[in-house]
Amino acid sequence: MSYQKLIKDNVKIAFDAIGDIGENITFTNKNVTDYDFATQTITSSTSAPITVKAVVESQYRTNDDTPRIECNLLIDSDKLDSKIIDNYDSIVMRNKTWKINKFEDNNYIINLTIGRES
């Protein structure tokens, strides 16, 4: 058995074992299709939302000019293709909308950093 398969199997076991520690998050997106300069309104559409299970690794406040709450999430790479994350600009978690700040994928775990104003 290769190490890559061993690691992927163990990640799957870990995500299956976390139970209610894992939270469902929904990726959402708003595509602006038109802007009316006269009324200053936008016309937009949304992409189909995607829901996956994630684990909140950490949550912290920033003390920048605008106080923010940021979270680091862990997602099983086999449950979500990280290439599609670029198509989404926010997620819904705990009934609040969070902006996607950055993500990294090592082919085992996706590390997703999200934030919102506090």
Side-chain angles (χ1 to χ4, degrees), residues 59-70:
Q59 181 173 323
Y60 51 93
R61 288 189 181 273
T62 62
N63 291 324
D64 299 337
D65 293 337
T66 305
R68 295 181 52 82
I69 298 174
E70 292 195 356

Side-chain angles (χ1 to χ4, degrees), residues 38-98:
T39 62
Q40 296 183 352
T41 58
I42 62 169
T43 305
S44 64
S45 63
T46 57
S47 301
I50 298 173
T51 301
V52 295
K53 184 183 273 190
V55 175
V56 176
E57 184 238 336
S58 63
Q59 181 173 323
Y60 51 93
R61 288 189 181 273
T62 62
N63 291 324
D64 299 337
D65 293 337
T66 305
R68 295 181 52 82
I69 298 174
E70 292 195 356
C71 268
N72 291 325
L73 304 176
L74 303 176
I75 303 169
D76 182 355
S77 288
D78 283 346
K79 301 291 183 191
L80 179 68
D81 184 358
S82 64
K83 293 175 195 160
I84 66 165
I85 294 176
D86 283 334
N87 298 330
Y88 293 88
D89 56 9
S90 59
I91 68 158
V92 176
M93 179 178 78
R94 301 176 182 164
N95 297 320
K96 296 197 185 310
T97 301
W98 302 70

Side-chain angles (χ1 to χ4, degrees), residues 9-10 32 34 37 49-50 53:
D9 289 347
N10 284 324
V32 175
D34 193 23
F37 287 96
I50 298 173
K53 184 183 273 190

